[in-house]
Amino acid sequence: MSNLCVFHDSRVAPACESVRRFLAAPFAGVFATIALLLLTSSAPGSDKPGKPTEKPPARSSKADKVLRSGETHRSADPVVALINQQIRQAWQENQIVASPVADDEEWLRRVSLDLHGHIPFWKEIDRFRKDKNPNKRAALVDKMLDDPAFVRNWTTLWTNLTIGRQTPRQVSRAGIQKFFRESFAQNRPWNEIVYDLVSAEGRSDENGAVNFLLAQMSTRDEMVLATAKTTRLFMGVQLQCAQCHNHPFDPWKQAQFWELNSFLRQTRPIEHRTLNRATGQRMTDYTELVRTDFSGPVYYEKRSGEMQVAYPIFFDKKIDPGSSVDRRKELARLMTSGDRPYIAQAMINRTWGHFFGYGFSNPVDDIGARHPPSHPELLERLSQEFVKNHFDVKQLIRWICTSDAYQLTSRTTIKNAKDDPAMGHAPLFSRVYPKPMEAEQLYDSLLIATDVEHTVHADWTARQKQRDEWLQQFIFAFGTDENDEASTFNGTIPQALLMMNGQLIEKATGGESGSFLHKVLDSESTEIQKIQRLYLASLSRHPHGRELGAAEHLIELYPDKLPGYQDLFWALLNSNEFIINH
């Protein structure tokens, strides 16, 4: 999708014309608009941003001057100070200079996507930029964490992580969403959430936590998938390769996989069916996860063919293997107790990766010798502080979002060009690495960009249903042993066509009475103010001088100005800058 919006070479022009005709795009000037925009702007992350011919809106507040001075945050919180010290030390040791601090518009868009899962409302941008409070960023983070949008977003994130975007059979998506929604709304400690997910029993529609394990039990695999998913998601340890053999370069052994597996073997799903009188078919009403009688060891086969036994041992901690002991509750207790539980380190790394695009260790769910952390001391200290603060997820997010590193722009400079994790280097966080929007983020951001008031008051259930239907077009199941799937927007032709000529974009740029575009054009604002409104609504920033001039020139090409504004808004919503979180 993004690639189709980047026409840097004039030799592509004939092909573009063919594509335009094939799409039957409703606006004749679409590709002219894209060409104009490409002449005046740079993609996120570029180290050579175009200079505006006119100054962008003044940013003269005291807060901005403090930020640009390099004294980003001298927080009273010792954990934030620790993060700043450790990250800056790594910059010095690697002889790099961090990118500049992001301006308010860039930072607000990023934090809104990361915390709320969508871009900010256009009305919020000027209000935040004009706020003279030097601590306005930290204050906004606190406000956003108390907003229901945070709960909705993190419910979506963890629902996808635990059961996937394609709901497995026997699983109640609504049930696990309710579990996470209540947990994040109450800011329950993370160790309690993990304990419930690992140990839960009962009905899928009543105790939403059971759906995590039910999602890993779609086939009779003796809880192999559940073992791998539990350790990977909550402990940051990938044991799936050790299921069959010892890996020469991996510290985790085959015996450890089956020892952990034995904790989960007292588990069985029971489907409860009812008769659908309309169709005459028996349908699953709900699924129940129950404890079953299982005692003794688990048997597994070594590569040599020799049979081995494995008792429930959590690394070096043994439990009674008798049937009277609830092994899953024992596993949940062992996973979440102690002063250095794996779940703390795993949550730190995954959350850091959510905000920066890369964790300390990558992939985020494989922390260890194969993928050593870039900042081992910082990861260890943050894990300890997380435990001391009673596994407070919101506090963890505050530490990250108010750190110096998170305030930086995503643009690369000559002085930190070598800080490029995409090339296999350890991340140094001298900038925030751009990342594509998730499918849910793009959908919600399109709603925000095109119809602010309607989005605010929309019924959550109805909107969720519409979003789920739209997302199905972007889910790709890989069919691996772990039911892996992807939903990021990677520029495939079907994704591009859907974005460029889909129902959401068509409605957004239609100009019908009551639409956002109609309200903009019907206002008494000047042409410049209308153009600025479209930029704020879509890209969350004001246009630079050269962009403003190009947009004015485009609109003047049409006797009736509506097609010009339609083309402009269409191009902004289909641009790289819109679909990238930067």
Side-chain angles (χ1 to χ4, degrees):
M1 171 180 58
S2 59
N3 293 336
L4 290 184
C5 296
V6 184
F7 302 122
H8 290 290
D9 195 326
S10 61
R11 293 172 293 180
V12 183
C16 294
E17 177 62 19
S18 299
V19 172
R20 187 186 70 80
R21 289 174 180 172
F22 173 74
L23 290 174
F27 316 125
V30 162
F31 286 92
T33 305
I34 296 175
L36 285 169
L37 291 172
L38 287 169
L39 287 172
T40 57
S41 61
S42 301
S46 169
D47 58 349
K48 295 181 180 180
K51 292 184 178 180
T53 54
E54 298 177 20
K55 291 184 179 181
R59 298 180 175 89
S60 58
S61 70
K62 182 178 180 181
D64 288 325
K65 292 179 180 178
V66 171
L67 287 169
R68 295 178 188 281
S69 72
E71 299 294 317
T72 311
H73 280 86
R74 288 298 172 260
S75 173
D77 191 317
V79 179
V80 177
L82 169 68
I83 295 173
N84 294 342
Q85 184 271 325
Q86 290 281 312
I87 296 295
R88 288 183 180 277
Q89 180 178 329
W91 296 342
Q92 295 171 1
E93 292 173 351
N94 288 273
Q95 298 181 333
I96 64 172
V97 177
S99 293
V101 170
D103 63 32
D104 281 344
E105 293 172 344
E106 178 184 349
W107 184 86
L108 177 60
R109 184 181 191 273
R110 179 198 307 154
V111 78
S112 296
L113 280 165
D114 288 344
L115 285 182
H116 286 179
H118 57 69
I119 61 174
F121 297 116
W122 69 269
K123 293 180 179 179
E124 296 174 348
I125 299 168
D126 271 339
R127 183 163 60 244
F128 181 73
R129 188 174 57 81
K130 294 174 182 177
D131 186 351
K132 298 184 182 301
N133 178 6
N135 296 315
K136 64 182 180 181
R137 295 192 178 188
L140 181 66
V141 170
D142 285 337
K143 180 180 178 181
M144 295 181 76
L145 287 172
D146 290 333
D147 193 291
F150 167 76
V151 175
R152 287 196 298 268
N153 184 39
W154 282 70
T155 293
T156 296
L157 290 173
W158 278 97
T159 297
N160 291 342
L161 285 170
T162 49
I163 68 170
R165 288 180 170 87
Q166 292 179 314
T167 308
R169 193 174 68 85
Q170 302 182 348
V171 169
S172 169
R173 190 171 204 89
I176 199 165
Q177 285 175 333
K178 181 175 183 290
F179 170 77
F180 280 122
R181 190 161 57 246
E182 292 176 350
S183 296
F184 289 123
Q186 299 167 13
N187 196 30
R188 292 185 64 202
W190 182 245
N191 59 332
E192 292 183 7
I193 295 175
V194 173
Y195 183 94
D196 286 352
L197 290 167
V198 174
S199 66
E201 296 178 4
R203 292 174 45 154
S204 57
D205 57 344
E206 293 181 349
N207 184 1
V210 303
N211 290 285
F212 164 64
L213 285 178
L214 286 175
Q216 327 308 322
M217 300 171 68
S218 56
T219 58
R220 294 185 178 276
D221 66 348
E222 298 180 323
M223 301 300 287
V224 167
L225 177 58
T227 304
K229 184 79 168 186
T230 300
T231 55
R232 188 179 72 181
L233 186 60
F234 301 124
M235 298 168 59
V237 176
Q238 292 198 15
L239 289 179
Q240 61 270 24
C241 291
Q243 172 193 346
C244 302
H245 58 85
N246 293 329
H247 195 284
F249 306 113
D250 197 324
W252 310 112
K253 303 304 179 184
Q254 187 180 13
Q256 290 176 298
F257 178 92
W258 291 104
E259 287 166 356
L260 289 170
N261 172 267
S262 66
F263 280 97
L264 301 174
R265 296 293 279 272
Q266 292 176 328
T267 310
R268 183 167 66 95
I270 300 176
E271 279 192 82
H272 293 266
R273 294 172 171 265
T274 56
L275 179 65
N276 187 327
R277 297 185 181 277
T279 63
Q281 296 179 331
R282 294 185 65 82
M283 309 292 291
T284 299
D285 188 17
Y286 63 90
T287 307
E288 188 176 8
L289 192 65
V290 301
R291 177 183 166 190
T292 187
D293 185 18
F294 182 91
S295 60
V298 167
Y299 294 90
Y300 67 95
E301 185 178 359
K302 296 180 67 175
R303 177 173 280 184
S304 63
E306 180 183 359
M307 297 300 296
Q308 298 287 312
V309 297
Y311 290 93
I313 302 175
F314 185 79
F315 300 106
D316 59 342
K317 297 181 177 66
K318 300 180 181 180
I319 70 162
D320 184 349
S323 59
S324 62
V325 175
D326 189 326
R327 295 188 183 187
R328 277 202 292 126
K329 288 186 177 179
E330 284 298 304
L331 175 62
R333 179 183 62 82
L334 292 168
M335 286 177 61
T336 58
S337 60
D339 57 357
R340 296 180 62 188
Y342 279 92
I343 65 164
Q345 181 175 257
M347 186 59 170
I348 295 292
N349 198 48
R350 183 176 293 277
T351 306
W352 188 277
H354 170 78
F355 286 98
F356 284 95
Y358 289 88
F360 296 115
S361 180
N362 296 284
V364 293
D365 53 8
D366 192 14
I367 308 171
R370 286 186 303 178
H371 303 99
S374 58
H375 299 70
E377 183 179 345
L378 179 56
L379 177 58
E380 175 67 19
R381 289 287 303 278
L382 282 176
S383 301
Q384 294 173 4
E385 294 297 333
F386 188 44
V387 175
K388 289 180 183 177
N389 281 268
H390 309 291
F391 296 88
D392 188 331
V393 174
K394 286 188 176 181
Q395 184 60 53
L396 168 60
I397 292 172
R398 286 190 189 94
W399 292 334
I400 295 174
C401 289
T402 55
S403 67
D404 284 355
Y406 191 71
Q407 314 310 311
L408 304 177
T409 181
S410 63
R411 292 181 178 270
T412 310
T413 69
I414 296 176
K415 296 181 180 180
N416 69 352
K418 66 180 181 180
D419 179 14
D420 189 356
M423 299 299 293
H425 305 302
L428 296 172
F429 309 108
S430 63
R431 60 190 175 97
V432 175
Y433 310 109
K435 50 188 181 286
M437 282 190 192
E438 294 291 336
E440 295 87 353
Q441 291 177 325
L442 181 54
Y443 180 85
D444 289 345
S445 293
L446 283 170
L447 295 184
I448 295 291
T450 58
D451 195 354
V452 175
E453 282 75 22
H454 179 266
T455 301
V456 172
H457 301 293
D459 176 73
W460 188 87
T461 303
R463 189 176 120 191
Q464 185 71 26
K465 181 180 178 181
Q466 292 176 351
R467 184 173 75 166
D468 289 343
E469 292 174 354
W470 187 82
L471 293 174
Q472 293 305 311
Q473 302 167 87
F474 295 96
I475 298 174
F476 301 92
F478 294 132
T480 66
D481 291 339
E482 298 187 37
N483 299 328
D484 290 336
E485 62 184 22
S487 68
T488 53
F489 293 79
N490 55 12
T492 62
I493 295 296
Q495 292 176 0
L497 297 181
L498 183 62
M499 273 297 292
M500 296 167 76
N501 222 39
Q503 183 178 2
L504 277 176
I505 298 294
E506 184 178 352
K507 183 177 180 180
T509 56
E512 289 85 359
S513 178
S515 69
F516 175 68
L517 188 57
H518 179 269
K519 292 175 183 177
V520 171
L521 296 181
D522 198 44
S523 69
E524 297 181 358
S525 304
T526 65
E527 299 300 326
I528 290 179
Q529 290 171 331
K530 292 175 182 178
I531 293 171
Q532 289 176 333
R533 178 95 43 96
L534 295 184
Y535 265 83
L536 285 173
S538 56
L539 304 186
S540 306
R541 66 171 177 84
H542 288 79
H544 300 306
R546 190 165 55 180
E547 292 172 322
L548 189 59
E552 287 182 290
H553 175 67
L554 170 70
I555 293 168
E556 289 172 356
L557 295 176
Y558 296 88
D560 177 8
K561 294 181 180 180
L562 174 60
Y565 279 104
Q566 289 176 316
D567 282 6
L568 174 62
F569 202 30
W570 186 96
L572 292 173
L573 294 174
N574 279 282
S575 67
N576 278 341
E577 187 172 348
F578 182 76
I579 67 170
I580 297 293
N581 183 355
H582 55 87

